[in-house]
């Protein structure tokens, strides 16, 4: 198979996502009062409504409607005052009612958009970017200094309910294939679920991954779900097709179902794009089918050919009245909107004089954004504390993030690195007490020894000597010891400066402030 880059030379990849999110922060199910609890003993949170017993009547959960309206407002959707529920009919043991209650053509939220900022290596996947200049616009993107901004349309966000969970026994890895029997747990049946559908506006696997990450960050900020991909409260289907560059009609798509990690989303789409290109190049046909990404085998396999909407016989739910949301209700929800990641990034940029890049990456996680703000609150009580914004942003975006990534399950909260210690550490570096290289060493030591940066610097005798008098004495001595080298330097061999700096450092056991040494040497040699 060809590489992504080679494929994208000739084909345009078109990607649309369907993102399912369980509203885990609610206390009860969508249409009954059963408790929502992950990991409870099987079938302990059920009742006649979510078990679909005859005569049981659903009552909608108002808090769930608030959550979906929040999601819609946060993603620039139009809130539809009039929408209703439908029955999507299918028979499967995980759904005791034999139909799923969902929404029809009009959902609570319609026609929104999210802007994606793509930078660094992620931006390299986008075809045509290399030739474009900052400020230029093509397709749905605007080129920026360090990448581009892509406009991604959101078709709709609708409300539905989750099904129960099947557990298969006797087969391989709990799969249904080869299983001797299956059990069903209805605790999850009736869990409020929102499904967001994007327009086919994404063009690279990286854009798809960034979209999911950004959406997750928005939902977490709204507090409507714990968005755990491992536990399945956030999952998505990736739809992808190819078309020849220049073509306007969409190609036939395949759908990767139930993707449960950002990496799988990226890698699955990447594989599927390359596979489709190979099929098309060999004169074959892409069939509209559902495929499964197998991360260990690193390939996709067919699950089923696509069923059509007609098979479900969607019809209006007779037990639930159509909605008539009032302006007051929508405004009340709007008033609850917290500061969203984009707005927070803009504020960081202005308030702390940061670059767009730094601000954007600081708000990628709620925890790092809060940590940074707490650092700045503490720094502001110091003289010139505002100057620590950039060093602190670097520390968080690079070192802290790398440390968190390397230690899954580790959180900033409760870790040895308190905001106070981060400020102290960057203060030491900024003041020249330690070099930035030593700063990294102290950072690691803070985490390992749970000690204050100042104490570590003292205990290890790391202080740089920045006393001009002391350095000058050493510089004079070094120059006096090497009259021949001084002559050569003054004769034009300025590369010898490195030799002099090295000699000074040696005499000072590596603790001299290198900038000061350099400066004094240059003064005396000129
Ligand atoms: P289906 O009825 O097969 O579920 P939808 O029209 O509901 O298809 O679209 C589902 C998702 O697939 C949406 O995110 C949409 O943007 C995307 N999509 C639709 N057609 C294509 C296509 N040809 N290529 C890639 N994505 C597509
Ligand atoms: Mg669909
Ligand atoms: Zn129930």
């Amino acid at each position: 198979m060809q590489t992504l880059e080679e494929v994208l030379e000739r084909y345009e990849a078109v990607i649309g996502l369907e993102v399912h999110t369980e509203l885990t922060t609610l206390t009860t199910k969508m249409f009954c009062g059963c408790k929502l609890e992950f990991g409870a003993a099987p079938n302990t949170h059920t009742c006649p409504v979510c078990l679909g017993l005859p005569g049981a009547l659903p009552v909608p959960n108002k808090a769930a409607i608030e959550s979906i309206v929040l999601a819609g407002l946060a993603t620039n959707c139009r809130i539809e005052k009039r929408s209703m529920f439908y029955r999507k009919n299918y028979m499967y043991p995980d759904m005791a009612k034999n139909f799923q209650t969902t929404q029809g053509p009009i959902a609570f939220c319609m026609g929104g958009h999210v802007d994606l900022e793509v930078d660094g290596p992620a931006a390299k996947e986008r075809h045509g970017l290399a030739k474009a200049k900052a400020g230029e616009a093509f397709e749905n993107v605007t080129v920026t200094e360090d990448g581009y901004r892509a406009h991604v349309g959101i078709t709709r966000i609708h409300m539905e309910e989750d099904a129960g969970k099947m557990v298969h026994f006797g087969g391989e890895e709990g799969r249904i294939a080869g299983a001797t029997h299956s059990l069903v747990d209805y605790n999850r049946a009736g869990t409020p679920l929102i499904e967001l559908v994007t327009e086919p506006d994404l063009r690279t696997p990286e854009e798809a991954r960034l979209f999911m990450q950004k959406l997750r960050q928005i939902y977490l900020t709204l507090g409507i779900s714990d968005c755990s991909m491992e536990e399945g409260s956030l999952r998505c289907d990736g739809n992808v097709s190819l078309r020849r560059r220049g073509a306007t009609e969409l190609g036939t798509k395949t759908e990767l179902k139930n993707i449960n990690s950002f990496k799988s989303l990226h890698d699955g789409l990447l594989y599927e794009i390359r596979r489709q290109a190979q099929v098309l190049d060999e004169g074959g046909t892409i069939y509209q089918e559902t495929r499964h990404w197998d991360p260990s085998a690193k390939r996709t396999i067919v699950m089923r050919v696509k069923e059509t909407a007609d098979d479900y016989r969607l019809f209006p739910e007779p037990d639930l009245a159509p909605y008539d949301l009032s302006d007051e209700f929508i405004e009340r929800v709007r008033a609850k909107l917290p500061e969203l990641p984009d707005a927070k990034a803009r504020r960081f940029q202005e308030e702390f004089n940061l670059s767009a890049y730094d601000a954007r990456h600081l708000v990628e996680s709620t925890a790092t954004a809060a940590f940074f703000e707490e650092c700045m609150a503490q720094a502001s009580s110091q003289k010139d504390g505002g100057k620590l914004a950039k060093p602190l942003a670097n520390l968080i975006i690079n070192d802290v993030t790398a440390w968190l990534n390397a230690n899954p399950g580790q959180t900033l909260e409760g870790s040895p690195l308190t905001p106070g210690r981060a400020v102290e550490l960057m203060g030491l570096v900024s003041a020249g007490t330690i070099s930035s290289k030593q700063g990294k060493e102290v950072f690691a030591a803070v985490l390992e020894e749970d000690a204050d940066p100042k104490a570590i610097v003292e205990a290890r005798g790391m202080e740089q000597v920045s006393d001009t008098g002391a350095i000058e004495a050493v510089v004079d001595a070094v120059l006096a010891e090497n009259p021949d080298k001084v002559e050569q330097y003054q004769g034009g061999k300025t590369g010898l400066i490195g030799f002099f700096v090295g000699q000074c450092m040696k005499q000072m056991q590596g603790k001299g402030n290198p900038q000061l040494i350099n400066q004094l040497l240059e003064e005396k040699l000129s």
Side-chain angles (χ1 to χ4, degrees):
M1 291 196 295
Q2 294 197 312
T3 63
L4 180 71
E5 204 181 346
E6 287 164 342
V7 171
L8 296 187
E9 279 296 319
R10 293 168 297 123
Y11 294 101
E12 183 177 28
V14 175
I15 300 168
L17 301 178
E18 296 164 280
V19 187
H20 294 87
T21 313
E22 283 178 357
L23 302 177
T24 52
T25 54
L26 297 179
T27 48
T28 58
K29 292 189 180 179
M30 189 59 220
F31 298 111
C32 61
C34 285
K35 204 170 143 202
L36 289 176
E37 187 188 5
F38 181 81
N43 297 307
T44 48
H45 297 316
T46 59
C47 75
V49 174
C50 54
L51 287 179
L53 301 187
L57 287 175
V59 178
N61 182 340
K62 192 169 169 199
I65 312 292
E66 269 194 35
S67 295
I68 194 172
V69 170
L70 273 176
L73 292 172
T75 51
N76 307 296
C77 287
R78 200 168 64 237
I79 306 302
E80 292 290 342
K81 292 189 196 161
R82 290 184 157 267
S83 70
M84 57 191 287
F85 281 105
Y86 286 69
R87 290 183 177 191
K88 186 171 169 181
N89 293 277
Y90 71 92
M91 193 275 151
Y92 200 68
D94 65 358
M95 182 57 88
K97 300 193 296 182
N98 283 356
F99 63 82
Q100 180 194 32
T101 308
T102 181
Q103 294 205 280
I106 311 269
F108 280 113
C109 315
M110 303 290 292
H113 68 88
V114 163
D115 284 341
L116 282 187
E117 302 279 350
V118 191
D119 60 38
K124 298 210 164 65
E125 283 189 357
R126 182 86 189 208
H127 179 82
L129 198 73
K131 291 182 221 97
K133 283 192 286 295
E136 227 173 274
F138 66 95
E139 293 162 8
N140 65 333
V141 311
T142 310
V143 184
T144 57
E145 290 298 333
D146 47 17
Y148 62 95
R149 183 177 317 113
H151 183 88
V152 182
I154 291 172
T155 316
R156 55 190 268 141
I157 313 177
H158 66 252
M159 182 102 235
E160 56 185 42
E161 54 176 347
D162 213 346
K165 207 170 115 191
M166 304 274 292
V167 191
H168 310 292
F169 294 90
E172 216 181 308
E173 285 176 42
R175 287 181 180 282
I176 194 166
T180 52
H181 64 290
S182 304
L183 299 178
V184 60
D185 174 8
Y186 287 115
N187 281 351
R188 199 179 67 182
T191 298
L193 202 68
I194 59 175
E195 178 177 346
L196 178 147
V197 182
T198 77
E199 291 290 306
D201 285 349
L202 299 158
R203 292 291 175 270
T204 69
E206 284 290 4
E207 287 177 20
R209 161 155 60 191
L210 285 168
F211 180 88
M212 273 298 280
Q213 283 172 338
K214 181 154 189 180
L215 187 66
R216 177 170 186 270
Q217 199 46 38
I218 292 174
Y219 285 175
L220 284 174
T221 307
L222 295 175
I224 59 177
S225 172
D226 64 7
C227 295
S228 161
M229 294 195 87
E230 298 94 67
E231 289 177 1
S233 53
L234 180 70
R235 43 192 199 257
C236 87
D237 305 336
N239 298 270
V240 54
S241 65
L242 296 188
R243 63 181 170 195
R244 284 265 170 204
R245 292 224 160 260
T248 49
E249 244 172 71
L250 290 178
T252 302
K253 70 179 164 82
T254 58
E255 181 177 16
L256 298 180
K257 263 260 184 279
N258 280 332
I259 291 174
N260 60 4
S261 77
F262 296 119
K263 186 172 184 339
S264 286
L265 177 63
H266 176 273
D267 296 353
L269 288 171
L270 176 68
Y271 175 89
E272 197 50 23
I273 290 168
R274 296 170 65 206
R275 185 193 69 84
Q276 287 187 14
Q278 189 176 32
V279 172
L280 293 172
D281 284 343
E282 286 168 358
T285 312
I286 301 297
Y287 297 100
Q288 181 163 341
E289 60 197 6
T290 301
R291 300 179 71 92
H292 169 75
W293 165 246
D294 183 341
S296 41
K298 294 198 180 353
R299 63 192 180 98
T300 62
I301 45 177
V302 189
M303 280 167 73
R304 57 170 184 261
V305 290
K306 182 79 190 171
E307 66 286 322
T308 67
D310 290 348
D311 297 339
Y312 290 120
R313 300 261 179 259
L314 217 65
F315 70 77
E317 166 60 63
D319 290 339
L320 289 165
Y323 277 86
D324 203 351
L325 297 183
S326 65
D327 287 321
E328 294 80 65
F329 175 80
I330 296 170
E331 287 320 306
R332 228 176 23 248
V333 177
R334 196 191 301 277
K336 290 187 187 170
L337 274 179
E339 183 183 38
L340 293 166
D342 279 354
K344 192 179 291 254
R346 271 195 302 277
R347 179 168 63 78
F348 278 8
Q349 228 182 308
E350 283 162 22
E351 209 171 309
F352 305 118
N353 216 355
L354 292 175
S355 68
Y357 177 94
D358 286 346
R360 178 154 80 235
H361 288 282
L362 280 173
V363 305
E364 261 170 15
S365 112
T366 321
T368 54
F371 186 83
F372 175 74
E373 279 212 87
E374 184 50 39
C375 286
M376 291 314 293
Q378 299 202 16
S380 70
S381 61
Q382 301 176 5
K383 187 172 165 283
D384 283 339
K387 289 201 182 130
L388 290 180
K390 173 71 184 159
L392 281 164
N394 285 345
L395 177 79
I396 294 170
I397 295 169
N398 303 320
D399 309 77
V400 174
T401 307
W403 171 65
L404 289 174
N405 288 341
N407 297 280
Q410 175 71 56
T411 57
L412 256 178
E413 217 181 50
S415 87
L417 186 73
T418 59
R421 283 174 172 172
V423 172
E424 189 175 299
L425 172 59
M426 294 334 278
L428 289 168
V429 177
S430 295
T433 312
I434 53 173
S435 67
S436 42
K437 196 168 147 231
Q438 287 173 311
K440 304 241 179 232
E441 187 185 328
V442 176
F443 170 73
V446 167
L447 295 172
E448 202 155 296
E449 297 166 20
D450 194 358
D452 289 340
K454 274 193 181 136
I456 293 167
V457 167
E458 244 164 67
R460 302 191 177 193
M462 289 169 107
E463 276 119 309
Q464 289 192 107
V465 176
S466 295
D467 169 356
T468 323
I471 295 180
E472 196 168 3
V474 174
V475 167
D476 286 342
V478 167
L479 295 182
E481 284 161 23
N482 299 282
D484 50 330
K485 295 254 173 23
V486 171
E487 205 169 299
Q488 288 173 21
Y489 180 95
Q490 282 162 343
K493 262 186 101 179
T494 52
L496 278 169
I497 189 81
F499 164 79
F500 291 122
V501 172
Q503 289 300 308
C504 292
M505 272 298 198
K506 202 166 150 197
Q507 294 210 8
M508 300 185 75
Q509 283 98 37
K511 288 186 201 164
N513 179 325
Q515 272 132 326
L516 273 179
I517 294 177
N518 247 300
Q519 196 186 321
L520 283 170
L521 277 169
E522 272 170 14
E523 272 171 33
K524 289 183 186 278
L525 284 165
S526 64

